[in-house]
Amino acid sequence: MSGHSKWHNIRLRKGAQDAKRGNLFTKLAREIIIAAKTGGGNPETNTRLRLAIQKAREHSMPQENIRRSIMRGTGELEGEAYEEVTYEGYGPGGVAILVECATDNRNRTVANLRSIFNKHGGRMGESGSVSYRFRPVGLIVIPRTAVEEDRLFALAIEAGAEDMRTDEENYEIVTQPEDFAKVRQAIEDAGIPMLRAEYTMEPLDLVHLEGKEAQQMLRLLERLEEDDDVQHVYANFDIADEVLEATEG
């Protein structure tokens, strides 16, 4: 399983802890604001906004918060002017890391990120230093219990999917970004439940980590995720399952 998939699964299992930290609604609101700012306030014509609203509802974000976030994005309500910024860096063992942020103060954000990287065995990189090691894709995750593999594969490929992968629990459908909305809609129309449907960055190569470096990497990514300005973190690591299990113990 790719580093992205492993880290994403860790994040799902840590969901309750994330909510307790109190920054979950902040991140959800900023994603809605930026989605509405860049694509308009109508979720029917703005796929990114529709996904952001869906994710907010899945985490029980109040409808009024969602509505106000949309209005802030479209300029109907005053508020902080957030912008999207992507920072690049290296983790232990030379792992490539992309950090997507939504910030109203670049100086604060970059200072916080540099401190987190330095404290946990990493370092910030220049623009373009690691981004070439990732590619943008659409990712749809479906539980294996929801549908037969042959049926899902045929449906996804016909709708324009690039590939479908299978592990013990889930199917992962990968699309080109421009085909994501069409493939997602076809799956939704077929009544097949989805665990996740999102735009993401997929690593093109993996760096295997063990021991101290593996532990450092997980702590670094956790600290990055905790920062209010950070929306998404992508890294091209590969860590043995037993190391991941030990961190959850």
Side-chain angles (χ1 to χ4, degrees):
M1 185 181 293
S2 71
H4 168 265
S5 296
K6 280 190 174 180
W7 177 240
H8 208 121
N9 289 339
I10 294 170
R11 290 169 57 198
L12 289 177
R13 291 192 287 267
K14 285 165 50 60
Q17 297 176 22
D18 291 340
K20 290 178 182 178
R21 281 199 293 266
N23 65 354
L24 180 59
F25 280 5
T26 298
K27 294 176 184 289
L28 294 171
R30 290 188 186 186
E31 174 62 19
I32 293 172
I33 290 169
I34 289 179
K37 177 182 177 180
T38 57
N42 183 358
E44 295 300 319
T45 56
N46 184 343
T47 300
R48 180 176 177 181
L49 178 60
R50 184 164 68 250
L51 292 174
I53 293 172
Q54 178 181 331
K55 185 174 182 180
R57 287 172 175 165
E58 289 172 355
H59 289 282
S60 302
M61 187 175 184
Q63 183 61 36
E64 179 61 18
N65 291 31
I66 295 174
R67 186 184 70 84
R68 291 177 63 85
S69 296
I70 294 172
M71 294 179 69
R72 285 176 62 186
T74 58
E76 297 171 80
L77 283 180
E78 292 186 1
E80 293 85 353
Y82 293 110
E83 61 176 328
E84 289 183 287
V85 187
T86 299
Y87 296 98
E88 304 180 32
Y90 299 90
V95 168
I97 301 175
L98 292 181
V99 187
E100 294 180 350
C101 300
T103 180
D104 60 345
N105 186 326
R106 286 196 183 202
N107 291 334
R108 177 196 66 224
T109 301
V110 74
N112 288 346
L113 294 186
R114 183 173 289 112
S115 176
I116 293 170
F117 271 96
N118 291 342
K119 287 180 180 178
H120 298 282
R123 61 184 175 88
M124 296 281 284
E126 299 294 329
S127 177
S129 59
V130 302
S131 56
Y132 69 93
R133 298 170 72 177
F134 298 83
R135 67 167 186 146
V137 298
L139 179 67
I140 301 169
V141 181
I142 295 169
R144 290 190 62 173
T145 55
V147 61
E148 292 181 356
E149 183 172 356
D150 289 347
R151 179 192 172 205
L152 180 61
F153 179 80
L155 175 67
I157 295 300
E158 183 177 348
E162 174 183 290
D163 191 15
M164 188 174 86
R165 307 161 185 164
T166 305
D167 61 27
E168 293 181 358
E169 297 180 356
N170 302 314
Y171 304 112
E172 287 189 352
I173 296 172
V174 180
T175 78
Q176 290 294 315
E178 61 270 21
D179 297 323
F180 172 76
K182 181 174 58 174
V183 175
R184 181 184 182 278
Q185 189 64 53
I187 294 171
E188 189 175 278
D189 290 345
I192 300 171
M194 292 170 275
L195 293 177
R196 300 198 306 278
E198 61 192 2
Y199 294 103
T200 187
M201 299 295 289
E202 181 178 67
L204 298 175
D205 65 293
L206 295 177
V207 177
H208 182 73
L209 297 180
E210 297 180 352
K212 180 181 178 181
E213 287 185 334
Q215 298 290 347
Q216 277 187 314
M217 174 58 62
L218 294 177
R219 284 195 294 270
L220 168 58
L221 294 178
E222 285 182 0
R223 297 302 178 269
L224 289 171
E225 290 275 1
E226 289 172 359
D227 189 279
D228 282 348
D229 293 340
V230 173
Q231 294 295 98
H232 306 285
V233 181
Y234 308 108
N236 70 337
F237 67 89
D238 180 59
I239 295 176
D241 289 337
E242 53 265 29
V243 176
L244 299 181
E245 292 168 0
T247 65
E248 296 174 351

